[in-house]
């Protein structure tokens, strides 16, 4: 019986944040676009047209005139829109592949081993379906390993006109030609420092790494780099992760939209961040035993006094109860707050996480109320159906003055009924 060669695809959305904005602004189809970070701080995403004109990470206040001069349109980050569009893309892909690993908000690996027919044709079908149903352009890379699929996707985007946005690298000659043309720093998992160390061994291209002795690579670097080298040869060492591993820490941290001097608005912010962290905690089925809350002033203005401090608060028992965690976080805030400072940021970090049912409670410790789990379940169900914040603790405000500055944000076209896309007059 012949062995079936493994096959993977990486489907990656092109300039995802900018593409999401374009879906509802067809008038910007050829206009360069940038998306800004929280509080309209710096550039975190660029359309293809904007990439030659703007660098990633450039502060918005420094490049406003540059954007205006080149006709570049800026948007505040609209994470509700991006998250919903991502879910739509992934839902479509799940219906076209036997197994899917959502790797990030804008890319996913698909398991295609044993699929009948042409996989390149399937890749083009995926690309056309996502484009037709969501308006988001994607690139598809197909290969016999995940690392090669990632490299094939890179080629599909880099030479989109020649490839049509789909590259199948399972042919050895085609694979080797690409490996020789790609710098080793472009390989998945090979960062800048590792690139420098590999250069000392005269490994400068992906081909060089694929031809290197695996055991030497393992001894010099790590088993992870060895697997990368083997994968570049076409040996599948990495399978799909069906479910992402539960996080060992959960953090919610935001810059305020303005400097805060009083305790009351900072308390509101900490309660809001704690509530959001608890949503993530329950989503992965974990409980929390410790909460760390910290605040700090701006660190780059020489005219402002500097202050930063945090404290860890122990909970009476492992819990996912938003009310209890907010209470602990706000009590911790009162311990670290100091008058006379202009605070710019707060952070809530959930620590010492345990999976529900996978720990032994202390016989003599306080036990959580039986109704707490039901209350949190009802709140999550209501918010899932009617939108985040429909039901919330009273300490969490709806439209706070200290909220993030998003002066250029588009509407929530897909998640709020009062902001649906309107066509015509």
């Amino acid at each position: 019986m012949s062995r079936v060669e493994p096959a993977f695809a990486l489907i990656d959305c092109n300039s995802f944040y900018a593409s999401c904005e374009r879906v509802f602004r067809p008038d910007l189809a050829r206009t360069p676009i940038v998306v800004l970070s929280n509080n309209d701080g710096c550039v975190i995403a660029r359309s293809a047209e904007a990439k030659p004109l703007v660098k990633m990470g450039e502060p918005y206040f420094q490049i406003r005139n540059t954007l205006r001069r080149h006709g570049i349109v800026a948007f505040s980050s609209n994470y509700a829109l991006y998250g919903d569009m991502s879910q739509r893309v992934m839902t479509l892909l799940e219906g076209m592949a036997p197994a899917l690993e959502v790797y990030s908000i804008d890319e996913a690996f698909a398991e295609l081993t044993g699929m009948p027919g042409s996989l390149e044709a399937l890749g083009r079908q995926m690309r056309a379906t996502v484009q037709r149903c969501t308006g988001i352009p994607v690139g598809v890379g197909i290969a016999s390993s995940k690392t090669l699929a990632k490299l094939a996707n890179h080629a599909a985007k880099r030479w989109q006109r020649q490839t049509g946005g789909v590259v199948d690298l399972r042919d050895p000659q085609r694979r080797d030609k690409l490996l020789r043309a790609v710098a080793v720093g472009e390989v998945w998992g090979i960062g800048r420092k590792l690139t420098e160390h590999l250069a000392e061994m005269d490994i400068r291209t992906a081909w060089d790494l694929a031809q290197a002795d695996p055991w030497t690579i393992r001894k010099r670097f790590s088993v992870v780099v060895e697997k990368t080298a083997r994968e570049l040869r076409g040996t599948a060492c990495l399978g799909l992760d069906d479910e992402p591993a539960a996080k060992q820490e959960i953090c919610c941290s935001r810059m305020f939209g303005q400097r805060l001097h009083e305790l009351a608005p900072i308390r509101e912010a900490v309660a809001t961040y704690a509530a959001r962290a608890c949503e993530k905690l329950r989503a992965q089925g974990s409980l929390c035993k410790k909460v760390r809350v910290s605040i700090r002033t701006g660190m780059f203005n020489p005219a402002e006094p500097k202050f930063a401090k945090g404290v860890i608060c122990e909970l009476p028992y492992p819990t996912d109860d938003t009310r209890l965690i907010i209470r602990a976080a706000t009590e911790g805030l009162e311990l670290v707050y100091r008058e006379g400072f202009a605070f710019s940021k707060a952070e809530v970090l959930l620590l010492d996480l345990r999976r529900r049912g996978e720990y032994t409670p202390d016989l003599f410790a306080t036990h959580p109320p039986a109704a707490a789990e039901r209350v949190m379940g009802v709140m999550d169900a209501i918010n899932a159906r009617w939108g985040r914040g429909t039901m919330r603790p009273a300490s969490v405000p709806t439209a706070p003055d200290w909220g993030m500055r998003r002066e250029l944000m588009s509407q929530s076209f897909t998640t709020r009924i009062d902001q649906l896309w309107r066509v015509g007059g």
Side-chain angles (χ1 to χ4, degrees):
M1 184 176 178
S2 61
R3 178 176 174 268
V4 178
E5 291 294 326
F8 299 90
L10 178 70
I11 306 95
D12 188 7
C13 301
N14 300 345
S15 304
F16 180 60
Y17 288 0
S19 295
C20 289
E21 299 292 353
R22 272 190 175 144
V23 169
F24 301 96
R25 288 291 306 274
D27 57 307
L28 301 179
R30 296 289 180 266
T31 302
I33 293 172
V34 297
V35 178
L36 307 175
S37 63
N38 294 341
N39 288 313
D40 295 343
C42 60
V43 175
I44 58 170
R46 304 163 295 168
S47 66
E49 300 83 358
K51 288 180 180 179
L53 306 171
V54 181
K55 295 179 181 179
M56 284 288 282
E58 286 197 273
Y60 176 56
F61 76 92
Q62 291 182 356
I63 61 171
R64 288 187 184 185
N65 292 334
T66 302
L67 299 183
R68 192 178 301 111
R69 187 168 61 253
H70 291 290
I72 301 172
V73 177
F75 287 93
S76 301
S77 49
N78 188 344
Y79 296 119
L81 174 64
Y82 309 151
D84 186 70
M85 294 300 291
S86 172
Q87 186 175 14
R88 293 173 186 229
V89 171
M90 300 309 168
T91 300
L92 288 169
L93 296 176
E94 284 175 347
M96 304 179 71
L100 193 78
E101 174 195 341
V102 179
Y103 183 67
S104 69
I105 192 172
D106 64 345
E107 57 185 330
F109 285 103
E111 170 75 69
L112 303 181
T113 304
M115 290 284 288
S118 167
L119 295 189
E120 184 173 339
L122 176 60
R124 299 193 184 282
Q125 182 186 355
M126 288 178 170
R127 191 171 188 270
T129 300
V130 172
Q131 176 77 54
R132 183 180 69 253
C133 296
T134 68
I136 303 294
V138 302
V140 181
I142 302 168
S144 56
S145 70
K146 291 174 74 175
T147 302
L148 281 173
K150 189 88 171 175
L151 208 59
N153 186 277
H154 170 75
K157 288 187 173 183
R158 185 172 179 178
W159 296 288
Q160 187 168 333
R161 183 174 298 178
Q162 298 92 321
T163 65
V166 178
V167 169
D168 185 351
L169 277 190
R170 289 176 301 149
D171 177 68
Q173 291 184 342
R174 196 177 191 188
R175 177 195 67 204
D176 293 347
K177 182 180 179 181
L178 179 63
L179 291 179
R180 287 187 171 96
V182 173
V184 71
E186 298 288 350
V187 175
W188 183 34
I190 305 298
R192 181 179 58 83
K193 289 187 176 180
L194 191 52
T195 300
E196 295 173 357
H197 292 310
L198 288 169
E200 296 172 0
M201 300 174 62
D202 205 26
I203 296 176
R204 304 181 186 281
T205 66
W207 169 261
D208 296 334
L209 181 56
Q211 300 308 304
D213 177 60
W215 296 109
T216 302
I217 293 294
R218 180 173 186 169
K219 185 176 180 180
R220 178 77 181 268
F221 301 104
S222 68
V223 67
V224 175
V225 184
E226 179 207 352
K227 287 183 178 179
T228 298
R230 291 182 183 276
E231 288 234 325
L232 289 174
R233 292 186 179 186
T235 302
C237 301
L238 306 172
L240 292 195
D241 293 332
D242 295 330
E243 291 189 15
K247 295 180 180 179
Q248 300 304 305
E249 297 178 353
I250 293 177
C251 179
C252 188
S253 173
R254 298 283 188 277
M255 298 288 290
F256 306 137
Q258 58 187 337
R259 295 289 194 265
L260 299 181
H261 299 79
E262 304 297 327
L263 177 61
I266 302 176
R267 186 187 294 115
E268 287 183 352
V270 166
T272 302
Y273 302 165
R276 177 66 185 119
C278 288
E279 291 175 5
K280 298 178 183 179
L281 183 71
R282 291 193 292 273
Q284 71 172 34
S286 295
L287 304 175
C288 165
K289 188 64 170 62
K290 296 177 182 177
V291 182
R292 184 181 189 275
V293 59
S294 60
I295 53 175
R296 69 171 174 83
T297 60
M299 295 297 168
F300 305 106
N301 187 342
E304 287 184 351
K306 308 295 186 293
F307 178 84
K309 192 172 183 180
V311 64
I312 294 179
C313 306
E314 189 88 19
L315 298 170
Y317 43 78
T319 182
D320 60 9
D321 191 331
T322 298
R323 300 164 298 179
L324 181 59
I325 291 174
I326 286 179
R327 188 184 311 134
T330 52
E331 288 175 356
L333 171 65
E334 293 177 1
L335 295 175
V336 298
Y337 171 77
R338 295 292 184 274
E339 293 184 356
F341 292 97
F343 291 97
S344 66
K345 185 177 183 179
E347 177 182 283
V348 174
L349 183 64
L350 305 186
L351 302 167
D352 195 3
L353 306 189
R354 300 105 181 269
R355 301 288 287 181
R356 185 180 294 278
E358 294 183 0
Y359 76 96
T360 303
D362 190 328
L363 180 63
F364 302 102
T366 307
H367 291 276
E373 184 178 348
R374 294 197 299 272
V375 171
M376 294 299 105
V378 169
M379 183 170 69
D380 289 341
I382 290 174
N383 291 333
R385 180 171 182 180
W386 301 107
R388 180 181 294 165
T390 302
M391 184 178 183
R392 64 188 188 283
S395 56
V396 176
T398 52
D401 296 334
W402 47 263
M404 281 192 299
R405 188 169 60 252
R406 293 180 177 181
E407 299 173 355
L408 306 171
M409 192 169 76
S410 56
Q411 293 180 261
S412 298
F413 297 104
T414 63
T415 56
R416 289 187 55 172
I417 197 168
D418 60 325
Q419 295 185 13
L420 291 177
W421 194 25
R422 299 189 180 189
V423 180

